[in-house]
Amino acid sequence: MKIVEEPNTFGLNNPFISQTNKLQPRVEPSPVSGPLHLHRLSGKCFSHIETTYKYEFCPFHNITQHEQTFRWNAYSGILGIWQEWEIENNTFVGMWMREGDSCGMKTRQTKVLLMCGRSNKLINVSEPTTCIYSVTFETPLVCHPHSLLVYPTLSEALQRKWDDAEQALYEELITEQGYKKILREIFEEAGYQKNSKERDTKPEDGEKKKAKDFETMEKCRDELTKLSGEVQRLQDLLSKHGISYEKQSETTGHLNSSQSVTSPSATITLKQDKHLRGDTGIHNDIH
């Protein structure tokens, strides 16, 4: 894989200093993907100097940083290697360069934002979060209003899959969460995004279970039924021990145009003044 080495006499590249410390990529870049007209950027590199650092961005390959000082240990390293697209609202909005040099317990990564411009060039580099960089790349290749749309770049089979998901969402056969999951599968199949199993950051088990539970209306209704049963169980338990409470019932709205579920939403107020055995708990709002 091509890694741009800075051909100057600064720091680690000084000819009088040992050349054993060269840039070593951790992984291979992902295949070139996305809009075909952007593929012509592959194999080219663009530089930008920000304060004392020079950045080299090679689309679909990597991005590197080189400190422009005469310090004996001037930094020169990889800020990320091409991995996947960031997609929002049917639009390619940025290129993610991940698996760069180590940065504490993490690795450096860079998000490259694409903007319309008269020529191909880097115009801004920042580090909004430690070890995570943001780069803006201008190019006339994205100036057309449809130049970054995702749908037209997909195969006919994936377009049909997207159309079916849109229809299912409209008919309320799937939830918004389920719809987004299908889109993610489409983008992964097209090679635009990495499979969730291949990514470094994985959701916690509880979050994965929650996402799985609410992908369809049927699963939502099942969960509502379970919660209603739990509420009833708690009410029966209070009644068994002679603890009085007030219960208010209300009917939930329609889940879709033809089905509805009635569930008691109980507001329980204990009438007993004496302290109950055990920890009554602290009620916190969960966001």
Side-chain angles (χ1 to χ4, degrees):
M1 177 177 62
K2 179 180 180 181
I3 292 288
V4 174
E5 295 284 359
E6 183 65 6
N8 61 27
T9 57
F10 292 109
L12 293 176
N13 294 292
N14 192 305
F16 300 104
I17 296 178
S18 172
Q19 296 296 300
T20 58
N21 194 343
K22 290 290 185 178
L23 303 186
Q24 297 294 328
R26 299 166 60 91
V27 297
E28 290 291 321
S30 296
V32 177
S33 65
L36 289 176
H37 57 278
L38 294 182
H39 292 192
R40 69 186 70 176
L41 295 174
S42 179
K44 300 179 181 179
C45 295
F46 307 91
S47 62
H48 173 72
I49 295 179
E50 189 93 13
T51 62
T52 60
Y53 290 96
K54 184 174 183 179
Y55 299 88
E56 291 280 352
F57 170 52
C58 303
F60 303 108
H61 289 274
N62 53 68
I63 182 168
T64 56
Q65 180 188 56
H66 310 277
E67 186 176 358
Q68 304 289 283
T69 67
F70 287 99
R71 295 193 306 116
W72 69 272
N73 62 341
Y75 176 77
S76 185
I78 303 172
L79 300 187
I81 296 170
W82 161 241
Q83 294 293 298
E84 63 180 348
W85 286 97
E86 178 162 320
I87 299 175
E88 294 179 2
N89 299 323
N90 186 28
T91 304
F92 296 102
V93 297
M95 304 176 70
W96 271 107
M97 306 286 189
R98 307 186 194 273
E99 296 293 339
D101 288 347
S102 297
C103 186
M105 300 297 292
K106 303 182 294 183
T107 57
R108 301 179 191 274
Q109 56 181 319
T110 303
K111 179 180 177 180
V112 181
L113 301 172
L114 303 177
M115 289 185 60
C116 172
R118 293 185 176 182
S119 61
N120 297 321
K121 63 179 180 179
L122 290 177
I123 62 170
N124 181 58
V125 179
S126 63
E127 189 177 0
T129 305
T130 303
C131 306
I132 300 179
Y133 302 82
S134 177
V135 173
T136 302
F137 180 69
E138 282 190 349
T139 174
L141 298 176
V142 301
C143 290
H144 190 280
H146 297 162
S147 60
L148 292 175
L149 292 182
V150 178
Y151 187 89
T153 68
L154 297 172
S155 65
E156 291 185 5
L158 291 180
Q159 287 182 351
R160 285 196 300 271
K161 186 174 180 179
W162 194 333
D163 294 340
D164 292 343
E166 290 277 359
Q167 186 64 28
L169 180 64
Y170 175 76
E171 295 176 358
E172 297 186 334
L173 299 177
I174 59 175
T175 63
E176 184 71 26
Q177 194 167 8
Y179 171 73
K180 291 180 179 179
K181 180 177 181 292
I182 294 175
L183 289 190
R184 177 76 196 191
E185 292 173 352
I186 291 173
F187 301 152
E188 290 176 0
E189 190 172 345
Y192 300 156
Q193 294 185 329
K194 303 282 283 186
N195 186 285
S196 58
K197 295 181 180 179
E198 300 175 13
R199 306 181 72 185
D200 290 337
T201 55
K202 297 182 180 179
E204 296 297 328
D205 290 342
E207 294 177 352
K208 288 191 289 186
K209 182 179 185 303
K210 180 180 178 181
K212 184 177 180 181
D213 286 344
F214 299 104
E215 289 171 2
T216 65
M217 289 298 181
E218 183 179 358
K219 290 181 179 179
C220 288
R221 288 192 291 271
D222 290 343
E223 288 300 314
L224 180 58
T225 301
K226 291 178 183 179
L227 290 175
S228 299
E230 179 65 13
V231 170
Q232 185 61 51
R233 186 186 70 81
L234 293 174
Q235 292 173 1
D236 294 342
L237 186 62
L238 291 174
S239 298
K240 179 179 180 181
H241 291 279
I243 303 174
S244 60
Y245 61 90
E246 294 177 355
K247 180 179 72 173
Q248 296 177 348
S249 297
E250 60 183 20
T251 302
T252 63
H254 288 279
L255 293 179
N256 57 42
S257 58
S258 61
Q259 294 175 301
S260 63
V261 175
T262 301
S263 170
S265 177
T267 301
I268 300 175
T269 304
L270 296 179
K271 297 294 188 179
Q272 202 162 309
D273 294 331
K274 66 179 182 179
H275 180 66
L276 300 177
R277 288 188 178 184
D279 185 4
T280 58
I282 300 176
H283 297 279
N284 293 321
D285 291 331
I286 301 176
H287 300 283

